[in-house]
Short mmCIF file of all heavy atoms in Angstrom, two decimals:
data_model
loop_
_atom_site.label_atom_id
_atom_site.label_comp_id
_atom_site.label_asym_id
_atom_site.label_seq_id
_atom_site.Cartn_x
_atom_site.Cartn_y
_atom_site.Cartn_z
N LYS A 9 5.95 19.26 -3.87
CA LYS A 9 7.39 19.44 -4.07
C LYS A 9 7.64 20.59 -5.05
O LYS A 9 7.07 20.63 -6.14
CB LYS A 9 8.02 18.16 -4.64
CG LYS A 9 9.51 18.26 -4.90
CD LYS A 9 10.30 18.31 -3.61
CE LYS A 9 11.80 18.41 -3.88
NZ LYS A 9 12.56 18.58 -2.63
N GLY A 49 11.92 8.44 -0.98
CA GLY A 49 12.74 9.25 -0.08
C GLY A 49 13.99 9.81 -0.72
O GLY A 49 14.88 10.30 -0.02
N LEU A 50 14.09 9.74 -2.03
CA LEU A 50 15.28 10.29 -2.70
C LEU A 50 15.19 11.81 -2.70
O LEU A 50 16.20 12.51 -2.63
CB LEU A 50 15.40 9.75 -4.12
CG LEU A 50 15.61 8.25 -4.21
CD1 LEU A 50 15.55 7.79 -5.65
CD2 LEU A 50 16.95 7.86 -3.59
N HIS A 51 13.97 12.32 -2.83
CA HIS A 51 13.74 13.75 -2.68
C HIS A 51 12.84 13.93 -1.45
O HIS A 51 11.99 13.09 -1.17
CB HIS A 51 13.04 14.32 -3.92
CG HIS A 51 13.94 14.40 -5.12
ND1 HIS A 51 13.72 15.26 -6.16
CD2 HIS A 51 15.06 13.72 -5.43
CE1 HIS A 51 14.67 15.11 -7.06
NE2 HIS A 51 15.49 14.17 -6.65
N ALA A 52 13.06 15.04 -0.75
CA ALA A 52 12.25 15.32 0.44
C ALA A 52 11.08 16.20 0.03
O ALA A 52 11.27 17.18 -0.68
CB ALA A 52 13.10 16.01 1.48
N PHE A 65 9.27 5.86 3.83
CA PHE A 65 10.30 4.92 3.36
C PHE A 65 11.68 5.23 3.91
O PHE A 65 12.45 4.31 4.24
CB PHE A 65 10.32 4.90 1.83
CG PHE A 65 11.31 3.94 1.26
CD1 PHE A 65 11.10 2.56 1.32
CD2 PHE A 65 12.48 4.40 0.66
CE1 PHE A 65 12.02 1.68 0.81
CE2 PHE A 65 13.40 3.52 0.14
CZ PHE A 65 13.17 2.16 0.21
N ARG A 66 12.02 6.51 4.04
CA ARG A 66 13.38 6.85 4.46
C ARG A 66 13.69 6.46 5.89
O ARG A 66 14.85 6.49 6.32
CB ARG A 66 13.67 8.34 4.26
CG ARG A 66 14.52 8.55 3.03
CD ARG A 66 15.25 9.84 3.03
NE ARG A 66 16.50 9.86 3.75
CZ ARG A 66 17.26 10.93 3.81
NH1 ARG A 66 16.87 12.03 3.20
NH2 ARG A 66 18.39 10.91 4.47
N HIS A 68 13.31 3.53 7.02
CA HIS A 68 13.90 2.18 6.99
C HIS A 68 15.41 2.30 6.86
O HIS A 68 15.90 3.16 6.14
CB HIS A 68 13.38 1.38 5.79
CG HIS A 68 11.94 1.03 5.86
ND1 HIS A 68 11.42 0.18 6.78
CD2 HIS A 68 10.90 1.44 5.08
CE1 HIS A 68 10.12 0.05 6.59
NE2 HIS A 68 9.77 0.82 5.56
N ARG A 69 16.15 1.41 7.52
CA ARG A 69 17.61 1.42 7.33
C ARG A 69 17.96 0.73 6.01
O ARG A 69 18.87 1.14 5.30
CB ARG A 69 18.32 0.73 8.49
CG ARG A 69 18.36 1.61 9.74
CD ARG A 69 19.07 0.90 10.86
NE ARG A 69 20.49 0.73 10.58
CZ ARG A 69 21.19 -0.31 11.01
NH1 ARG A 69 20.62 -1.26 11.71
NH2 ARG A 69 22.48 -0.39 10.73
N ARG A 70 17.24 -0.33 5.67
CA ARG A 70 17.46 -1.03 4.40
C ARG A 70 16.13 -1.09 3.67
O ARG A 70 15.08 -1.29 4.30
CB ARG A 70 17.98 -2.45 4.65
CG ARG A 70 19.25 -2.52 5.48
CD ARG A 70 20.46 -1.99 4.71
NE ARG A 70 21.68 -2.10 5.51
CZ ARG A 70 22.11 -1.16 6.33
NH1 ARG A 70 21.44 -0.03 6.48
NH2 ARG A 70 23.23 -1.33 7.01
N GLY A 71 16.17 -0.96 2.35
CA GLY A 71 14.91 -0.77 1.64
C GLY A 71 14.40 -1.94 0.81
O GLY A 71 13.20 -2.07 0.57
N THR A 82 18.91 3.26 -16.72
CA THR A 82 20.29 3.67 -16.98
C THR A 82 21.01 4.10 -15.70
O THR A 82 22.16 4.52 -15.74
CB THR A 82 20.35 4.81 -18.01
OG1 THR A 82 19.66 5.94 -17.48
CG2 THR A 82 19.71 4.40 -19.32
N ASP A 83 20.33 4.01 -14.54
CA ASP A 83 20.97 4.34 -13.25
C ASP A 83 21.88 3.19 -12.80
O ASP A 83 21.67 2.59 -11.74
CB ASP A 83 19.90 4.59 -12.17
CG ASP A 83 19.28 5.97 -12.30
OD1 ASP A 83 19.77 6.77 -13.11
OD2 ASP A 83 18.29 6.24 -11.60
N ARG A 88 30.51 -2.16 -14.50
CA ARG A 88 30.30 -3.36 -13.69
C ARG A 88 29.55 -4.42 -14.46
O ARG A 88 28.78 -4.12 -15.35
CB ARG A 88 29.49 -3.00 -12.44
CG ARG A 88 30.34 -2.68 -11.30
CD ARG A 88 29.60 -2.42 -10.03
NE ARG A 88 30.47 -1.56 -9.26
CZ ARG A 88 30.27 -0.27 -9.07
NH1 ARG A 88 29.18 0.31 -9.49
NH2 ARG A 88 31.16 0.44 -8.40
N ASP A 92 27.83 -8.40 -10.59
CA ASP A 92 28.43 -7.59 -9.53
C ASP A 92 27.49 -6.47 -9.09
O ASP A 92 27.42 -6.12 -7.91
CB ASP A 92 29.76 -6.99 -9.99
CG ASP A 92 30.87 -8.03 -10.01
OD1 ASP A 92 30.75 -9.02 -9.26
OD2 ASP A 92 31.84 -7.87 -10.76
N ALA A 96 26.28 -6.34 -5.23
CA ALA A 96 26.49 -5.21 -4.32
C ALA A 96 25.16 -4.82 -3.66
O ALA A 96 25.10 -4.56 -2.45
CB ALA A 96 27.09 -4.02 -5.06
N TRP A 99 24.22 -7.61 -1.09
CA TRP A 99 25.03 -7.51 0.14
C TRP A 99 24.54 -6.35 0.98
O TRP A 99 24.45 -6.46 2.21
CB TRP A 99 26.50 -7.27 -0.20
CG TRP A 99 27.30 -8.48 -0.59
CD1 TRP A 99 28.06 -8.59 -1.72
CD2 TRP A 99 27.45 -9.72 0.12
NE1 TRP A 99 28.67 -9.82 -1.75
CE2 TRP A 99 28.31 -10.53 -0.63
CE3 TRP A 99 26.95 -10.20 1.32
CZ2 TRP A 99 28.68 -11.80 -0.23
CZ3 TRP A 99 27.30 -11.47 1.72
CH2 TRP A 99 28.16 -12.26 0.95
N SER A 100 24.25 -5.20 0.32
CA SER A 100 23.92 -3.99 1.07
C SER A 100 22.67 -4.18 1.92
O SER A 100 22.46 -3.47 2.89
CB SER A 100 23.74 -2.79 0.12
OG SER A 100 22.51 -2.89 -0.56
N ASN A 101 21.83 -5.15 1.56
CA ASN A 101 20.60 -5.39 2.31
C ASN A 101 20.64 -6.73 3.05
O ASN A 101 19.60 -7.21 3.52
CB ASN A 101 19.40 -5.35 1.37
CG ASN A 101 18.88 -3.94 1.18
OD1 ASN A 101 17.80 -3.57 1.63
ND2 ASN A 101 19.67 -3.10 0.53
N ARG A 124 29.71 -6.76 -18.92
CA ARG A 124 29.60 -5.41 -18.36
C ARG A 124 28.32 -4.74 -18.84
O ARG A 124 27.95 -4.86 -20.01
CB ARG A 124 30.83 -4.59 -18.76
CG ARG A 124 32.01 -4.99 -17.94
CD ARG A 124 33.30 -4.36 -18.35
NE ARG A 124 34.38 -5.22 -17.91
CZ ARG A 124 34.76 -5.35 -16.64
NH1 ARG A 124 34.18 -4.65 -15.71
NH2 ARG A 124 35.72 -6.18 -16.31
N ASP B 3 27.27 -5.60 6.28
CA ASP B 3 26.65 -5.85 4.97
C ASP B 3 27.00 -4.72 4.00
O ASP B 3 27.32 -4.97 2.83
CB ASP B 3 25.12 -6.01 5.12
CG ASP B 3 24.46 -4.83 5.84
OD1 ASP B 3 25.20 -4.00 6.40
OD2 ASP B 3 23.22 -4.76 5.85
N LEU B 4 27.01 -3.48 4.49
CA LEU B 4 27.34 -2.35 3.62
C LEU B 4 28.81 -2.33 3.25
O LEU B 4 29.18 -1.97 2.13
CB LEU B 4 26.97 -1.04 4.31
CG LEU B 4 25.48 -0.73 4.41
CD1 LEU B 4 25.27 0.61 5.07
CD2 LEU B 4 24.84 -0.75 3.03
N ALA B 7 29.19 -4.67 0.51
CA ALA B 7 28.63 -4.12 -0.73
C ALA B 7 29.58 -3.11 -1.36
O ALA B 7 29.84 -3.14 -2.56
CB ALA B 7 27.28 -3.46 -0.43
N VAL B 10 32.52 -4.86 -2.90
CA VAL B 10 32.17 -5.44 -4.21
C VAL B 10 32.17 -4.34 -5.28
O VAL B 10 32.70 -4.51 -6.38
CB VAL B 10 30.79 -6.13 -4.16
CG1 VAL B 10 30.30 -6.47 -5.56
CG2 VAL B 10 30.85 -7.38 -3.30
N LYS B 11 31.59 -3.18 -4.94
CA LYS B 11 31.54 -2.09 -5.91
C LYS B 11 32.93 -1.65 -6.35
O LYS B 11 33.17 -1.38 -7.51
CB LYS B 11 30.82 -0.88 -5.29
CG LYS B 11 29.32 -0.98 -5.31
CD LYS B 11 28.76 0.37 -4.93
CE LYS B 11 27.33 0.26 -4.49
NZ LYS B 11 26.87 1.52 -3.88
N SER B 14 34.98 -4.40 -8.34
CA SER B 14 34.40 -4.78 -9.62
C SER B 14 34.61 -3.72 -10.69
O SER B 14 34.18 -3.91 -11.82
CB SER B 14 32.91 -5.08 -9.45
OG SER B 14 32.23 -3.93 -9.03
N LEU B 15 35.27 -2.62 -10.36
CA LEU B 15 35.52 -1.60 -11.37
C LEU B 15 36.98 -1.62 -11.81
O LEU B 15 37.87 -1.36 -11.01
CB LEU B 15 35.18 -0.21 -10.83
CG LEU B 15 33.71 0.18 -10.85
CD1 LEU B 15 33.57 1.65 -10.45
CD2 LEU B 15 33.09 -0.03 -12.23
N ARG B 16 37.18 -1.91 -13.09
CA ARG B 16 38.56 -1.95 -13.59
C ARG B 16 39.24 -0.61 -13.44
O ARG B 16 40.42 -0.52 -13.16
CB ARG B 16 38.56 -2.38 -15.07
CG ARG B 16 38.46 -3.86 -15.25
CD ARG B 16 38.66 -4.23 -16.69
NE ARG B 16 37.65 -3.63 -17.54
CZ ARG B 16 37.34 -4.08 -18.75
NH1 ARG B 16 37.96 -5.13 -19.24
NH2 ARG B 16 36.42 -3.49 -19.47
N SER B 82 26.60 8.43 -13.01
CA SER B 82 25.90 7.34 -13.69
C SER B 82 24.44 7.24 -13.25
O SER B 82 23.64 6.59 -13.91
CB SER B 82 26.61 6.01 -13.41
OG SER B 82 26.55 5.72 -12.03
N GLY B 83 24.10 7.90 -12.14
CA GLY B 83 22.73 7.78 -11.61
C GLY B 83 22.59 6.62 -10.63
O GLY B 83 21.56 6.46 -10.00
N LEU B 84 23.67 5.84 -10.50
CA LEU B 84 23.64 4.68 -9.61
C LEU B 84 23.28 5.07 -8.17
O LEU B 84 22.68 4.29 -7.44
CB LEU B 84 25.00 3.97 -9.64
CG LEU B 84 25.15 2.75 -8.74
CD1 LEU B 84 24.20 1.65 -9.16
CD2 LEU B 84 26.59 2.25 -8.76
N ARG B 86 20.99 6.79 -7.04
CA ARG B 86 19.56 6.64 -6.74
C ARG B 86 19.22 5.18 -6.44
O ARG B 86 18.45 4.90 -5.51
CB ARG B 86 18.71 7.18 -7.90
CG ARG B 86 18.66 8.69 -7.95
CD ARG B 86 17.68 9.18 -8.98
NE ARG B 86 18.19 9.00 -10.33
CZ ARG B 86 18.96 9.88 -10.95
NH1 ARG B 86 19.28 11.01 -10.36
NH2 ARG B 86 19.39 9.66 -12.16
N SER B 87 19.80 4.26 -7.21
CA SER B 87 19.59 2.84 -6.91
C SER B 87 20.16 2.52 -5.53
O SER B 87 19.56 1.77 -4.76
CB SER B 87 20.29 1.97 -7.96
OG SER B 87 19.94 2.37 -9.25
N ALA B 90 17.90 4.07 -2.82
CA ALA B 90 16.59 3.42 -2.77
C ALA B 90 16.74 2.06 -2.08
O ALA B 90 15.83 1.60 -1.40
CB ALA B 90 16.03 3.25 -4.18
N ALA B 91 17.90 1.44 -2.24
CA ALA B 91 18.15 0.15 -1.59
C ALA B 91 18.54 0.33 -0.12
O ALA B 91 18.22 -0.49 0.72
CB ALA B 91 19.24 -0.62 -2.33
N PRO B 93 18.11 3.32 2.46
CA PRO B 93 17.70 4.68 2.81
C PRO B 93 18.59 5.33 3.87
O PRO B 93 18.61 6.55 3.97
CB PRO B 93 16.27 4.49 3.34
CG PRO B 93 15.82 3.19 2.77
CD PRO B 93 17.04 2.34 2.68
N ARG B 95 21.39 6.81 4.44
CA ARG B 95 22.47 7.32 3.58
C ARG B 95 23.79 7.50 4.32
O ARG B 95 24.85 7.26 3.75
CB ARG B 95 22.05 8.67 3.01
CG ARG B 95 20.87 8.61 2.10
CD ARG B 95 20.62 9.98 1.54
NE ARG B 95 19.31 10.09 0.91
CZ ARG B 95 18.81 11.21 0.46
NH1 ARG B 95 19.52 12.32 0.56
NH2 ARG B 95 17.63 11.24 -0.12
N GLU B 97 25.00 5.79 6.62
CA GLU B 97 25.68 4.50 6.75
C GLU B 97 26.41 4.14 5.45
O GLU B 97 27.49 3.55 5.47
CB GLU B 97 24.68 3.40 7.09
CG GLU B 97 24.17 3.46 8.51
CD GLU B 97 23.33 2.25 8.87
OE1 GLU B 97 23.74 1.12 8.57
OE2 GLU B 97 22.24 2.44 9.43
N ARG B 258 22.72 13.72 4.20
CA ARG B 258 21.38 13.53 4.78
C ARG B 258 20.34 14.44 4.17
O ARG B 258 19.18 14.06 4.05
CB ARG B 258 21.42 13.84 6.29
CG ARG B 258 22.23 12.89 7.10
CD ARG B 258 22.31 13.42 8.52
NE ARG B 258 21.02 13.23 9.18
CZ ARG B 258 20.84 12.34 10.16
NH1 ARG B 258 21.84 11.60 10.54
NH2 ARG B 258 19.67 12.22 10.72
N ASP B 261 18.59 16.31 -1.91
CA ASP B 261 17.87 15.42 -2.83
C ASP B 261 18.87 14.75 -3.76
O ASP B 261 19.88 15.34 -4.13
CB ASP B 261 16.87 16.22 -3.67
CG ASP B 261 15.69 16.73 -2.84
OD1 ASP B 261 15.53 16.26 -1.70
OD2 ASP B 261 14.95 17.57 -3.35
N VAL B 262 18.59 13.51 -4.14
CA VAL B 262 19.47 12.85 -5.11
C VAL B 262 18.67 12.44 -6.34
O VAL B 262 17.49 12.25 -6.28
CB VAL B 262 20.18 11.60 -4.53
CG1 VAL B 262 21.21 12.03 -3.52
CG2 VAL B 262 19.20 10.62 -3.94
#
Side-chain angles (χ1 to χ4, degrees):
Chain A
K9 179 71 180 175
L50 297 173
H51 288 203
F65 182 72
R66 257 201 84 179
H68 292 293
R69 284 181 67 212
R70 303 290 182 271
T82 62
D83 282 352
R88 267 184 206 106
D92 285 336
W99 280 128
S100 75
N101 274 249
R124 284 174 204 287
Chain B
D3 54 350
L4 287 182
V10 168
K11 279 191 199 169
S14 62
L15 278 187
R16 278 188 299 201
S82 64
L84 179 63
R86 284 188 286 274
S87 309
R95 296 184 194 173
E97 287 188 46
R258 293 173 74 110
D261 290 347
V262 290

